[in-house]
Amino acid sequence: MTRLVWSDEYSVGDTEIDRQHQEIFSLIDRLDDQDMDASAMSVTFEKLDIYVREHFADEEEKDEGGGLS
């Protein structure tokens, strides 16, 4: 799997949202760890699921308030 590497070109101009995007990249990247056992992978998927849900809620809230362009 190709590593996901954050680049400033992905920035939406909101520090909090950009930080969340970077964390999502990191969680996805962890899934490619060849040494990760099934239990650790399951935990990572669960963290990713929770984090993405929270992230989209944050984005929607900011979008409704005019915080994202």
Side-chain angles (χ1 to χ4, degrees):
M1 184 168 118
T2 302
R3 287 189 51 108
L4 292 174
V5 179
W6 177 260
S7 170
D8 287 339
E9 71 184 85
Y10 305 139
S11 175
V12 297
D14 181 287
T15 305
E16 179 182 351
I17 297 298
D18 287 342
R19 183 190 53 75
Q20 290 176 357
H21 287 159
Q22 291 171 26
E23 181 62 20
I24 291 168
F25 273 49
S26 176
L27 286 167
I28 292 170
D29 214 38
R30 280 187 219 164
L31 294 172
D32 192 40
D33 184 348
Q34 300 299 316
D35 297 324
M36 184 180 288
D37 64 19
S39 177
M41 186 171 283
S42 179
V43 168
T44 302
F45 269 117
E46 187 173 329
K47 285 181 180 179
L48 183 60
D49 178 54
I50 292 167
Y51 200 84
V52 166
R53 289 173 191 266
E54 291 174 356
H55 167 71
F56 283 132
D58 289 346
E59 276 191 341
E60 287 176 9
E61 184 178 311
K62 285 184 178 267
D63 193 41
E64 288 172 2
L68 294 176
S69 52

